Amino acid sequence: MKKVLFAIFLLISTISCGKTASWYGDKFKGKPTASGYLFNPKEYTCASNKYDFGTVLKVTNVDNGKSVVVVVTDRGGFSKMGRDIDLSRVAFAKIAKLNSGLIKVKIKVLNDDKTFEYKHGSPIFNAGEYKKYVN
């Protein structure tokens, strides 16, 4: 019964609050992501269970209007916790204070063509590539 009530609570909170984002960072630094890349909390990347690897997203904080552009390089079990996306530390810090916890966001797909091939190392999403998507 408790699990059912918790599931209903998560569903209602997700519907009423829209999409939610959090951040992940230091303890995953240097570890492989689901796409094969090594995670770096100082790169503009994110984990998403909805979007394909290499999808470029614009994530906007609903409360303050600040936006960041990220590329999907990872997956996660965070949807069970009511989150839609986990941003890298640097990406989250660009749109909210790190101690904010969960924030309400809008997510817009900027490019769903593969912006990089899956391999080990870092994604080819350099400053030049990033500037194409930032207004």
Side-chain angles (χ1 to χ4, degrees):
M1 183 65 175
K2 288 182 182 180
K3 288 182 180 182
V4 172
L5 290 174
F6 182 70
I8 292 170
F9 169 76
L10 281 179
L11 180 62
I12 291 171
S13 63
T14 301
I15 291 169
S16 64
C17 296
K19 299 194 182 300
T20 58
S22 61
W23 66 276
Y24 68 123
D26 297 335
K27 75 177 186 175
F28 298 103
K29 184 178 180 179
K31 295 186 179 182
T33 62
S35 67
Y37 286 104
L38 299 180
F39 178 70
N40 182 345
K42 294 181 180 179
E43 293 177 350
Y44 290 91
T45 61
C46 70
S48 171
N49 292 332
K50 180 177 179 181
Y51 303 101
D52 292 335
F53 296 135
T55 302
V56 179
L57 304 173
K58 180 177 183 180
V59 180
T60 304
N61 183 331
V62 173
D63 292 334
N64 64 18
K66 292 181 180 179
S67 296
V68 66
V69 174
V70 294
V71 63
V72 179
T73 60
D74 206 1
R75 300 278 182 246
F78 48 82
S79 58
K80 296 174 188 171
M81 310 281 201
R83 301 187 312 262
D84 297 287
I85 193 168
D86 269 357
L87 301 171
S88 64
R89 180 185 178 109
V90 70
F92 190 92
K94 192 159 180 117
I95 63 172
K97 293 181 180 178
L98 291 175
N99 64 357
S100 300
L102 293 178
I103 60 170
K104 297 177 201 174
V105 295
K106 288 189 285 186
I107 301 172
K108 179 180 177 186
V109 174
L110 297 182
N111 184 346
D112 59 2
D113 295 336
K114 287 184 188 175
T115 52
F116 61 84
E117 295 297 322
Y118 315 134
K119 64 177 185 177
H120 293 284
S122 295
I124 302 168
F125 194 68
N126 58 29
E129 185 75 19
Y130 186 84
K131 286 179 184 177
K132 290 181 192 176
Y133 300 101
V134 179
N135 296 342

